Amino acid sequence: MSAPSLTLRRFPDSAQMCAAAARQWVELAAAAIAESGRFTVALSGGSTPKGLYELLAAAPFGEKVEWGRVEFFWGDERAVAPDRPESNFYMAERSLLEKLELRPEQIHRIRAEENDRGAAAEAYEAEIARVFGVSAGGKPPSLDLVLLGLGVDGHTASLFPYSEILHERARWVAAHYVSKLGADRITLTPTIINGAAHVIFLVAGAEKAAALAEVLEGPEDPERLPAQLIRPISGQLMWFVDGAAAALLRRGIGDKGDAP
Ligand code: 6PG
């Protein structure tokens, strides 16, 4: 995958990967707040980012972020209530949000538990448009940061292989039935993700090594490997990976890892 703006940073283990990601978050938040008065971030779900969220909730990283200036969005959500362990909101709430003093209006949750998921996706797009002061359906706004994970099948957010949604070019948010999961999901589309100023993938664990090598070094095949659709138009793309996930990469690796 030829992505000139791609930065790959490898760390000995996921703890050091998360510590580096926390440092990056602190830096990006300070710069965004200095420039625009706020930091708009879309959180990723799954399990990998939990370590990052827990670090951000505590010293030393947590003390370095002006949390009252952060607008929290999500990259995707499962069709479950927000108090269920499978919920991406729930994981972020328990590992980070409930430990911060936030105003409710800073938290922009995807209401994927609603029966009409199509309407919920439209409502989420409208919420994003409202926060950014733009019209829904037009050119997407630029989130300061989108965090993403990588599935063993090459999916990211809820962009799964061979899904119709991979071809969505207009909408910023869409709901779809994921046949391999037998469940509905709501997800940001590549259209808005690729408009972000910074996109950071966090990938850890040996079980991700094959997918990571295919996504980064294999032939272009975004239908099969949707993470290859993530190519920020003008923003920075960073991959933070641990050694186990990077084990099958051919390319030289960047950082040997920062001290936590
Ligand atoms: C989700 C995520 C999904 C996740 C990957 C990796 O809702 O599950 O958005 O894209 O990031 O599946 O998940 P893990 O971090 O649990 O391996």
Side-chain angles (χ1 to χ4, degrees):
M1 177 177 154
S2 58
S5 64
L6 167 62
T7 305
L8 178 68
R9 296 184 64 189
R10 168 173 157 168
F11 300 90
D13 54 42
S14 59
Q16 292 188 58
M17 177 189 76
C18 289
R23 261 189 202 83
Q24 189 72 56
W25 173 299
V26 167
E27 252 179 64
L28 294 178
I33 291 166
E35 188 186 327
S36 68
R38 67 184 183 182
F39 179 52
T40 56
V41 55
L43 300 179
S44 66
S47 54
T48 304
K50 193 163 181 284
L52 166 61
Y53 301 161
E54 288 167 344
L55 284 175
L56 289 170
F61 301 107
E63 299 162 337
K64 297 174 180 167
V65 179
E66 281 187 79
W67 292 109
R69 303 286 197 102
V70 181
E71 297 291 338
F72 292 92
F73 298 88
W74 274 260
D76 68 326
E77 189 53 277
R78 292 91 176 273
V80 295
D83 60 357
R84 294 282 298 279
E86 313 90 281
S87 157
N88 289 336
F89 168 81
Y90 181 84
M91 187 273 280
E93 161 99 314
R94 298 305 301 271
S95 51
L96 176 59
L97 305 181
E98 68 184 13
K99 297 168 185 167
L100 304 173
E101 286 178 25
L102 300 173
R103 302 180 311 283
E105 59 270 22
Q106 290 179 254
I107 297 176
H108 311 284
R109 184 176 73 79
I110 301 175
R111 311 180 74 79
E113 73 278 13
E114 291 181 2
N115 288 333
D116 185 343
R117 249 117 23 216
E122 281 173 26
Y124 200 63
E125 181 159 329
E127 173 69 355
I128 295 172
R130 180 188 66 78
V131 173
F132 281 89
V134 298
S135 343
K139 180 173 178 291
S142 180
L143 284 150
D144 294 313
L145 172 61
V146 175
L147 288 176
L148 293 172
L150 180 69
V152 295
D153 60 356
H155 83 262
T156 191
S158 284
L159 303 167
F160 283 84
Y162 308 109
S163 307
E164 263 316 293
I165 204 171
L166 301 183
H167 307 286
E168 175 59 53
R169 292 291 175 270
R171 287 181 295 170
W172 313 343
V173 187
H176 68 137
Y177 178 74
V178 182
S179 46
K180 76 178 289 187
L181 301 178
D184 281 347
R185 290 285 187 96
I186 292 181
T187 185
L188 296 189
T189 62
T191 300
I192 188 168
I193 296 172
N194 287 333
H198 300 274
V199 177
I200 298 179
F201 277 91
L202 289 180
V203 187
E207 73 279 8
K208 303 290 176 76
L212 185 65
E214 283 213 270
V215 166
L216 292 184
E217 298 180 340
E220 282 291 288
D221 188 359
E223 281 288 315
R224 185 170 66 87
L225 302 164
Q228 289 185 339
L229 290 169
I230 307 307
R231 314 183 91 181
I233 295 156
S234 56
Q236 189 185 18
L237 175 59
M238 292 179 265
W239 289 78
F240 282 39
V241 303
D242 73 353
L248 300 180
L249 292 183
R250 290 192 310 275
R251 70 173 68 208
I253 295 295
D255 295 25
K256 293 287 169 277
D258 298 340

